[in-house]
Amino acid sequence: MSPNLTPSVELIFLGTGTSSSLPSISCLTQPPDAETRGCRACLSTLEPEGKKNIRRNTSAVVRMKDKLGRTITIVIDAGKTFQAAALEWFPKHGLRRIDALLLTHAHADAMNGLDDLRGWTLGGSIQGHVDVYLSQVTFQEVKRSFPYLVSKEYASGGGDVPDFIWHIIEDGVPFEVNDTGVFVTPFSVQHGRFFSTTPCPAYTPTPNGLVGDAAPVEMLKKMNINGLESPKPAHSVPKEIIQPYLCFGFKFQEHLVYISDVSHIPEPAWSIIRGEKDGKRPTVCVLDCLGLKRHTSHFGLDQSVATARELGAVRSYFVGFSHRVSHEEYVTITEVLGGMTHAEEELSEIEKVGIGLLGEGEEIWTRPAHDGLKVLIDSELRAVRDETYDQTK
């Protein structure tokens, strides 16, 4: 790593865990006489050395210079554990004002912390309002779930609610953050599927924005979505159309690609991620990796590795972890991905399984992110340094 690195971007991970966060309550409350103990990752959090296995809902801060040379702070997602994450990491990293909040999707681990942003805006304590950038579908869900956050006449009690200005953004269309000269491109990826064709009240579940309508098959085919139809015997009833749940990833110019919740990347998103439109591949990639196995709504390790290889960023960081695989085990697995060797007798069974999932391909630098990790990106030099892994070389 060059000692002359001049960071153009700071990336700070506020959370790196799945929706239920880590540790798992089921592991920590396992009775002593149970046939199986809690997992290594969760039990390690009871000791100081296990701190990296305490993982809140996946969320991040991106800091960049605006056109006037001022540093702006962009937060990605405010989920169920956002308040606790902000209390720990904002003071440590010198963070205060939020210039923009980007929402990837409308799941609880991405937006249920919106109400906590009153700590920033109530009485103008830090700022008068927070600018929120989100899709029309996610905005509809915010209105359904938290109507008082959109229209204050629905507030009750003391009426102490945060102040937001809502900005609707579109798939594949770059947007500027508040006249700062900082541009971000959202792109849609598949994050699992809907398990009902019946819409929730006042909810718009479909990609085409029509309440109650199924997503047009031609639209889904155009997006090259996996599994458009569930397999059924030829003599059965007409095939069910599987309706994908779409989630935003974000590309911050040539600096960073952020994909926190994904089960499949359609081709239109790939053209943005690879930089086919601007000719610039990102320096850093953040990728979903729920665990070793594939999941309906998330990448498994093999998919995360294949995507990181395809993208070819200088460094890739994995996020969104469930329990059972510890931070240390992910470090060992990703070290092997980068070409390091470990004696087999020193490997855990989980590490052996993970290494077996890496597949054939080039050696690349990847590591598991952890809550509080700070990454410095110099896109001009295509150089990266972070405060954990570069301290251990």
Side-chain angles (χ1 to χ4, degrees):
M1 178 57 56
S2 169
N4 299 318
L5 181 146
T6 302
S8 47
V9 177
E10 293 181 6
L11 169 66
I12 300 167
F13 292 94
L14 300 179
T16 55
T18 187
S19 178
S20 55
S21 71
L22 276 70
S24 167
I25 189 65
S26 64
C27 285
L28 296 191
T29 58
Q30 192 75 275
D33 59 350
E35 291 185 5
T36 58
R37 297 185 69 236
C39 76
R40 170 181 173 179
C42 292
L43 293 177
S44 73
T45 64
L46 299 175
E47 305 295 336
E49 57 268 24
K51 182 174 175 59
K52 289 185 175 67
N53 288 313
I54 299 175
R55 298 182 181 275
R56 299 185 178 106
N57 297 160
T58 296
S59 173
V61 164
V62 179
R63 306 194 82 200
M64 303 172 64
K65 297 289 186 183
D66 70 3
K67 60 187 178 183
L68 299 178
R70 300 170 299 191
T71 299
I72 65 168
T73 298
I74 301 170
V75 173
I76 307 174
D77 285 340
K80 298 179 291 183
T81 60
F82 177 75
Q83 174 79 351
L87 287 172
E88 181 167 7
W89 303 119
F90 268 53
K92 178 176 180 179
H93 290 291
L95 305 173
R96 181 171 168 83
R97 177 182 173 85
I98 298 175
D99 294 286
L101 169 65
L102 316 184
L103 294 185
T104 56
H105 64 303
H107 284 169
D109 58 338
M111 75 168 196
N112 273 26
L114 284 171
D115 186 80
D116 292 323
L117 289 166
R118 70 173 73 184
W120 279 257
T121 68
L122 199 60
S125 53
I126 295 177
Q127 57 199 84
H129 69 272
V130 174
D131 289 280
V132 185
Y133 296 80
L134 72 175
S135 70
Q136 182 66 51
V137 170
T138 300
F139 184 56
Q140 291 295 108
E141 179 66 351
V142 171
K143 289 195 294 184
R144 186 184 75 85
S145 302
F146 308 109
Y148 67 95
L149 294 182
V150 177
S151 301
K152 287 189 176 182
E153 60 266 28
Y154 292 111
S156 58
D160 294 336
V161 300
D163 284 288
F164 296 117
I165 292 181
W166 305 94
H167 304 264
I168 304 301
I169 56 178
E170 299 181 15
D171 180 23
V173 180
F175 64 92
E176 183 179 10
V177 175
N178 258 345
D179 194 33
T180 59
V182 173
F183 285 86
V184 182
T185 303
F187 52 89
S188 291
V189 297
Q190 185 174 341
H191 176 32
R193 56 166 293 192
F194 287 97
F195 288 91
S196 173
T197 57
T198 303
C200 297
Y203 178 42
T204 308
T206 61
N208 66 346
L210 299 177
V211 177
D213 282 6
V217 176
E218 292 305 317
M219 172 186 289
L220 301 184
K221 287 180 177 178
K222 183 179 180 182
M223 294 183 67
N224 192 29
I225 294 293
N226 272 353
L228 287 179
E229 298 178 341
S230 59
K232 292 184 180 180
H235 62 274
S236 67
V237 296
K239 293 182 179 179
E240 172 196 4
I241 299 298
I242 293 180
Q243 186 172 291
Y245 182 83
L246 301 182
C247 172
F248 271 156
F250 296 106
K251 185 174 183 180
F252 297 81
Q253 294 159 253
E254 74 276 18
H255 312 299
L256 168 68
V257 159
Y258 184 92
I259 312 174
S260 60
D261 295 85
V262 59
S263 55
H264 171 69
I265 301 177
E267 191 53 42
W270 266 118
S271 67
I272 294 171
I273 296 167
R274 293 191 190 101
E276 293 172 6
K277 293 185 177 181
D278 56 16
K280 298 177 180 178
R281 291 203 173 203
T283 306
V284 167
C285 181
V286 176
L287 274 173
D288 185 12
C289 182
L290 182 69
L292 300 187
K293 296 181 180 180
R294 296 186 178 192
H295 186 271
T296 302
S297 301
H298 296 275
F299 274 175
L301 177 64
D302 66 321
Q303 294 167 299
S304 303
V305 169
T307 301
R309 281 179 170 142
E310 172 72 18
L311 183 55
V314 176
R315 290 190 180 185
S316 294
Y317 292 89
F318 294 161
V319 296
F321 303 106
S322 181
H323 69 148
R324 302 196 186 284
V325 185
S326 71
H327 172 81
E328 294 75 18
E329 288 170 322
Y330 274 118
V331 170
T332 299
I333 292 167
T334 53
E335 284 175 345
V336 172
L337 180 59
M340 189 179 298
T341 58
H342 290 269
E344 185 171 357
E345 62 270 18
E346 296 176 355
L347 298 174
S348 71
E349 289 305 310
I350 285 177
E351 288 168 340
K352 291 176 183 177
V353 172
I355 291 169
L357 292 170
L358 298 180
E360 298 294 328
E362 63 179 316
E363 297 174 354
I364 56 172
W365 195 102
T366 64
R367 290 294 185 275
H370 62 80
D371 292 19
L373 175 64
K374 183 177 182 178
V375 180
L376 305 176
I377 304 170
D378 185 332
S379 289
E380 185 173 342
L381 294 177
R382 281 185 62 80
V384 188
R385 182 172 66 239
D386 68 54
E387 295 183 345
T388 293
Y389 300 110
D390 289 299
Q391 301 302 319
T392 58
K393 287 186 176 180

